[in-house]
Amino acid sequence: MKKIAILFIGALFMFTSCEETESPIYDGSQTLAYFNGTSSSLEVEINDTNSIDIEIGASTISSSDRTVTISVDADNTSAASDIYSFPSTVTIPAGSYFANLTVTAVDNGLTTQPETLSLKIDSIDDGGVGSTILHTVSIVEICPIAATFAVGDYTLNFVSGGIGAAGFAPALGTGITVELMAGSASTERIFNVKCYPSFGFANTPADFSFNLVCGTTVSNGIVEGQISGVGCGGSIAFGPAATPGTYTVGDDTNITLNFAEDTAEICGAAGTTSYTLTKI
């Protein structure tokens, strides 16, 4: 059996690119057109429409307007064509590096399971090239969530689950008070918690994220850029469970979270873990 251990993060770090997008190899004298970011979320309320702006950049400046052509990458798109719309071109004004592409989605058969729209840059009309890095839009149906809903102090209690390598210890502790806070999306809630506190390790607390989706809760796990700090030669990660948790629409008193524990299976088989959040 693998033994679980704290991951001490000291002077040695592993870095990935700090750029929002990475450039393909191209002639440096050319213009590179690119998406300023690789992903975004487009939430559509039931029977409604919504739009987001995606920034498109150019690596050079010009005294003339430039046209960038965008299309759908069909191989990486699950959304039906009648769900979304966007112009096939955008104009970067003279004297500017950036322009916005507006993507609109309509609740035409959308569900609480996200649909994916992947966009690619085909060309820029000044003779430059388009980056090969796609931009992925996650389109999902949501129920309206008030900014004050499911925020404040809650008691977090372990219900069941865990993984064998951790002795089925509560991954997020139990019987503790956490503060739910609004996340970057209207449906997202975040709370800060120390992972596997019963081990007594010196790992830093991390932010755990979940979404409120029309009566269900979808656990995202620890937010990007943070880690549990506990694992077997790596850091245990959490993610969505096959069966989501629940809450009552319009009542934030009790919330159930289900999540997959050790999604990368670095300590053995992944487990499904359940918690409750009870408003104080």
Side-chain angles (χ1 to χ4, degrees), residues 183-272:
S184 58
S186 65
T187 61
E188 185 185 28
R189 296 295 180 265
I190 295 172
F191 59 91
N192 189 260
V193 67
K194 184 181 177 68
C195 298
Y196 302 99
S198 62
F199 295 156
F201 294 149
N203 52 312
T204 302
D207 291 330
F208 189 96
S209 164
F210 66 93
N211 285 84
L212 300 159
V213 186
C214 300
T216 65
T217 60
V218 178
S219 296
N220 305 311
I222 295 171
V223 301
E224 186 176 358
Q226 300 181 40
I227 58 173
S228 66
V230 177
C232 308
S235 188
I236 291 173
F238 311 121
T243 301
T246 60
Y247 73 98
T248 300
V249 175
D251 182 357
D252 61 0
T253 306
N254 296 289
I255 301 170
T256 300
L257 298 180
N258 295 334
F259 59 88
E261 185 173 343
D262 194 11
T263 55
E265 299 189 339
I266 63 171
C267 292
T272 299

Side-chain angles (χ1 to χ4, degrees), residues 83-184:
I83 290 174
Y84 60 84
S85 62
F86 62 91
S88 60
T89 62
V90 294
T91 299
I92 300 177
S96 177
Y97 286 101
F98 298 103
N100 285 326
L101 172 72
T102 300
V103 177
T104 300
V106 58
D107 184 14
N108 187 9
L110 280 173
T111 70
T112 57
Q113 296 299 312
E115 298 287 352
T116 298
L117 167 63
S118 291
L119 302 173
K120 61 181 179 178
I121 293 178
D122 295 322
S123 64
I124 182 168
D125 68 354
D126 68 353
V129 297
S131 169
T132 59
I133 305 297
L134 304 177
H135 186 97
T136 301
V137 183
S138 178
I139 306 173
V140 64
E141 179 188 64
I142 65 167
C143 293
I145 300 293
T148 56
F149 186 86
V151 295
D153 289 342
Y154 280 75
T155 301
L156 179 69
N157 279 306
F158 175 73
V159 177
S160 63
I163 55 174
F168 300 99
L172 307 180
T174 191
I176 60 174
T177 299
V178 296
E179 182 185 5
L180 294 192
M181 298 173 289
S184 58

